[in-house]
Amino acid sequence: MAYYPQLVKQYPKQLRLFNYGSTDIGKPLTLAVLSKDGVFDPALLKKQNKRVILINNGIHPGEPEGIDASMMLVRDLLSKNQLPKDVVICFIAVYNIDGSLNRGVSRISQNGPRGYGFRGNYRNLDLNRDFIKGDSRNALTFMQILNTWQPEVFLDNHTSDGADYQYVMTLIETQKDKQHPLLADYTSKTLSPELYKRMAASGYEMIPYVESEKATPDSGIVAFLETPRFSTGYTVQHNIISYVTETHMLKPYDKRVWSTYYFMQHLIDICQRDAPKIGNLKRQTDAQVQQQNTFALNWALDEEKYDMIPFKGYEAGYKPSEISGLNRLYYDRNKPYTKNIKYYNTYKATAFADKPLAYVIPQAWGKVIDLFKLNKVAMHRLKHDTTLSLQMYYITDYKTSPRPYEGHYLHSGVKLNPVDTKVKFYEGDYVVYTNQPINRYIVETLEPQGVDSFFAWNFFDSYLGQKEHYSDYVFEDIAAAYLKQHPELQKQLEAEKTKNPQLAKSASAQLEYVYRNSEYFEKTYLRYPVGRLLTDVKLDFQ
Ligand SMILES: [Zn+2]
């Protein structure tokens, strides 16, 4: 952190440092911004039709290549007077400051560097699972930076683990079926192939990030699906072209740093070359997403579809372990190979939602409101208490992980029953129209079936609990009178008893059945509290 201020002294016009917000240990996030013309006002840069690249470093402190490579690249771009004229570059110097200060030797499978930090931040969160839920102050500050500078291109620098092979650098690009078709067309046909070509010319041939279905990569590799909890799953909701570099942990550290350096250099160069095109694509994508009606909420790998790609690996073998005496895996670097292997890179959407005209969010859900504000979601507030006719979801089924994951008990397999009803909202409650460039973020967070929706991350769990009940001996008489007044429910109960012998044998279960199907039962139980306004009504706003 001492290095950047020294550079600013040498190049005060073109390098500026900004401190944003806080992290979980109270230190701010430092953003180093390079601007050839010395313009550092994001709004003015938009007016001047400049592109912005945001580069994130050190989210996993044991993976510090990007931290070092960024310092080198900033120095070189300035000292060689090679700043691009149409691209402003923003570097987050170190994102996980808290973890970086927690020095250790915990990444035992890695070949250097000598000193590095710990993966968890001060709250022991993996920050690269925190983008959608925003538990850490680091994530909230990242949202502030992203939505202030509004980059068209984002890069997150990492180090891999897993199999051994010949490549120093591997790459995760936004999964094409999850990315907007306009951006996917450009990245898959132009930008990504160009990055692969230029990296090979620099001596750092790349391969897609190696995630194997089975033990070794020769059985095929699978494209990484970055859901919105990950940095690039979150940035894709903002229609930003996004990459993750993953250097290989067993290659010498200097090579890992240089490959990260060259990748950033090539990305910047291509962005300069394609600056008008990337600007147009962003504007067109924003406009199309404003109009888009149906949104995918979850994805699954299509195991039928794959490409064959050349892969430079090392032969894998098995030999007796000195620890257990049982077979252990090893890679033989004396036996390099090039084989064509399967690359699975097709995902199918497995859940969809049609957007409503607007979502209505009670102000009680303060964290949702805070996150929407940080993400510059346009919101209106009701001027008066207002009863609205809208669609509310009842949660009819869901699964919950038995152990916490990143501080939450994630929900999945959510099933819904949409019901048209009237709900009273209060003065100051929020109405979010779905005609915004950031629609993907709005819909993917608010639709409970979203893989990383706010519902999945336990934001609304209080609605999963029943609040009122009855005393059996009191309700017996009331229920009997109620059945007399409602013969249709009596019939329904009798039919249910013939279907369900357990019910027929249990007095308390029958009483409960009457209660649940009567008007006495709370209407808000399992009712998701965010409303879906489907028809255009005139509303008074503050
Ligand atoms: Zn990582």
Side-chain angles (χ1 to χ4, degrees):
M1 297 311 297
Y3 185 72
Y4 282 108
Q6 289 175 28
L7 281 180
V8 173
K9 271 188 202 151
Q10 279 179 273
Y11 306 97
K13 187 188 166 209
Q14 292 170 320
L15 173 62
R16 198 170 293 177
L17 305 180
F18 296 85
N19 281 342
Y20 282 97
S22 179
T23 57
D24 278 340
I25 50 164
K27 297 185 189 300
L29 279 187
T30 300
L31 189 73
V33 183
L34 285 174
S35 169
K36 187 177 175 74
D37 300 336
V39 175
F40 294 94
D41 172 359
L44 183 56
L45 290 168
K46 281 272 166 274
K47 269 193 207 137
Q48 293 177 337
N49 197 21
K50 302 286 184 193
R51 300 288 79 77
V52 175
I53 303 179
L54 175 63
I55 296 174
N56 192 30
N57 293 309
I59 189 169
H60 294 143
E63 311 175 6
E65 289 89 330
I67 298 172
D68 293 343
S70 292
M71 289 193 288
M72 290 156 54
L73 185 61
V74 171
R75 175 198 62 199
D76 293 351
L77 288 171
L78 289 165
S79 65
K80 294 177 187 167
N81 198 20
Q82 285 177 343
L83 286 184
K85 68 180 176 45
D86 300 311
V87 183
V88 167
I89 316 154
C90 304
F91 297 84
I92 295 177
V94 185
Y95 182 59
N96 188 349
I97 299 176
D98 10 0
S100 294
L101 292 171
N102 182 8
R103 311 303 276 183
V105 289
S106 50
R107 287 177 74 96
I108 191 61
S109 300
Q110 194 166 295
N111 181 10
R114 261 179 300 166
Y116 52 82
F118 180 68
R119 185 177 182 92
N121 87 329
Y122 200 77
R123 284 179 60 176
N124 207 37
L125 293 168
D126 182 336
L127 295 181
N128 202 21
R129 310 289 184 272
D130 194 38
F131 284 93
I132 211 66
K133 63 190 167 72
D135 283 336
S136 67
R137 291 193 189 120
N138 308 52
L140 302 179
T141 304
F142 181 91
M143 292 177 202
Q144 189 194 351
I145 292 171
L146 185 96
N147 290 288
T148 299
W149 290 89
Q150 301 187 4
E152 289 89 4
V153 177
F154 172 72
L155 169 66
D156 200 358
N157 285 318
H158 286 252
T159 314
S160 77
D161 53 10
D164 197 8
Y165 39 76
Q166 298 175 43
Y167 306 90
V168 174
M169 180 59 91
T170 71
L171 186 65
I172 299 174
E173 52 191 289
T174 302
Q175 206 287 321
K176 63 178 172 50
D177 305 305
K178 200 164 63 66
Q179 197 174 27
H180 191 279
L182 274 178
L183 298 179
D185 185 66
Y186 170 68
T187 56
S188 65
K189 289 187 187 145
T190 304
L191 182 53
S192 299
E194 184 92 28
L195 286 165
Y196 277 92
K197 203 173 84 191
R198 290 187 186 209
M199 283 297 282
S202 299
Y204 291 100
E205 196 178 352
M206 296 193 298
I207 191 80
Y209 180 61
V210 177
E211 191 164 72
S212 304
E213 287 253 276
K214 298 192 184 102
T216 55
D218 50 346
S219 59
I221 60 175
V222 176
F224 189 79
L225 183 77
E226 358 88 285
T227 61
R229 71 189 65 172
F230 297 100
S231 63
T232 54
Y234 164 75
T235 54
V236 76
Q237 296 177 324
H238 293 68
N239 310 322
I240 296 169
I241 292 169
S242 303
Y243 290 96
V244 175
T245 58
E246 293 270 4
T247 64
H248 189 256
M249 83 281 190
L250 288 177
K251 304 303 181 295
Y253 186 65
D254 58 343
K255 288 198 167 145
R256 281 151 49 195
V257 172
W258 278 114
S259 65
T260 307
Y261 177 103
Y262 284 121
F263 185 88
M264 292 192 287
Q265 174 84 73
H266 295 318
L267 182 64
I268 292 164
D269 288 349
I270 302 167
C271 286
Q272 171 58 49
R273 186 195 71 186
D274 290 355
K277 187 181 180 82
I278 290 171
N280 286 336
L281 278 172
K282 177 75 167 86
R283 281 185 287 271
Q284 285 168 20
T285 306
D286 284 351
Q288 287 193 9
V289 171
Q290 281 180 272
Q291 306 291 328
Q292 187 178 331
N293 282 317
T294 304
F295 293 82
L297 302 174
N298 203 349
W299 298 265
L301 184 71
D302 185 339
E303 295 188 26
E304 306 294 312
K305 290 195 180 142
Y306 56 84
D307 297 321
M308 296 304 289
I309 59 168
F311 181 76
K312 295 180 177 176
Y314 294 121
E315 291 292 346
Y318 291 88
K319 62 184 180 185
S321 154
E322 288 185 37
I323 307 297
S324 64
L326 302 169
N327 264 353
R328 53 150 288 186
L329 171 71
Y330 71 100
Y331 289 92
D332 190 342
R333 288 204 169 174
N334 296 316
K335 290 183 185 163
Y337 67 75
T338 303
K339 287 181 196 169
N340 282 328
I341 63 165
K342 290 175 182 171
Y343 177 44
Y344 295 88
N345 186 25
T346 301
Y347 280 84
K348 289 182 292 198
T350 54
F352 298 92
D354 287 338
K355 70 176 180 187
L357 181 78
Y359 291 100
V360 186
I361 310 171
Q363 60 201 296
W365 302 97
K367 176 147 184 191
V368 176
I369 303 301
D370 290 346
L371 289 176
F372 272 32
K373 281 182 185 163
L374 269 174
N375 283 284
K376 302 227 165 123
V377 174
M379 296 188 280
H380 302 273
R381 303 191 75 176
L382 291 174
K383 196 171 181 185
H384 320 284
D385 294 359
T386 310
T387 297
L388 293 172
S389 294
L390 37 54
Q391 183 181 66
M392 301 297 287
Y393 286 138
Y394 282 85
I395 309 284
T396 55
D397 197 14
Y398 61 97
K399 290 179 186 60
T400 304
S401 65
R403 295 283 164 99
Y405 171 77
E406 293 301 320
H408 291 261
Y409 295 83
L410 268 171
H411 300 312
S412 60
V414 178
K415 298 214 163 52
L416 302 169
N417 178 28
V419 172
D420 294 329
T421 184
K422 282 190 165 70
V423 177
K424 183 180 173 183
F425 293 93
Y426 289 93
E427 177 187 342
D429 283 350
Y430 291 82
V431 178
V432 178
Y433 288 97
T434 53
N435 56 355
Q436 307 189 37
I438 198 171
N439 269 347
R440 271 191 81 165
Y441 175 79
I442 299 168
V443 174
E444 289 179 30
T445 55
L446 290 184
E447 287 295 327
Q449 292 182 320
V451 55
D452 280 336
S453 68
F454 291 151
F455 177 82
W457 285 100
N458 306 117
F459 282 34
F460 297 103
D461 278 7
S462 52
Y463 269 92
L464 300 177
Q466 192 180 330
K467 288 291 166 288
E468 301 273 18
H469 212 245
Y470 51 81
S471 297
D472 290 29
Y473 74 96
V474 180
F475 188 53
E476 276 283 352
D477 298 324
I478 298 166
Y482 191 86
L483 284 182
K484 284 202 186 86
Q485 288 161 13
H486 298 87
E488 71 291 348
L489 181 55
Q490 178 79 60
K491 248 200 239 166
Q492 196 185 312
L493 173 64
E494 295 309 320
E496 205 56 37
K497 274 157 68 178
T498 50
K499 271 193 278 177
N500 180 350
Q502 292 298 92
L503 182 70
K505 275 189 281 181
S506 167
S508 64
Q510 290 179 43
L511 198 60
E512 178 74 19
Y513 186 89
V514 176
Y515 180 64
R516 291 215 165 205
N517 290 284
S518 75
E519 68 201 56
Y520 306 119
F521 188 65
E522 61 204 66
K523 289 182 184 60
T524 51
Y525 176 53
L526 296 177
R527 191 175 81 183
Y528 181 63
V530 175
R532 287 167 45 92
L533 191 65
L534 301 178
T535 48
D536 199 2
V537 284
K538 167 124 183 49
L539 296 170
D540 287 338
F541 296 124
Q542 291 179 353

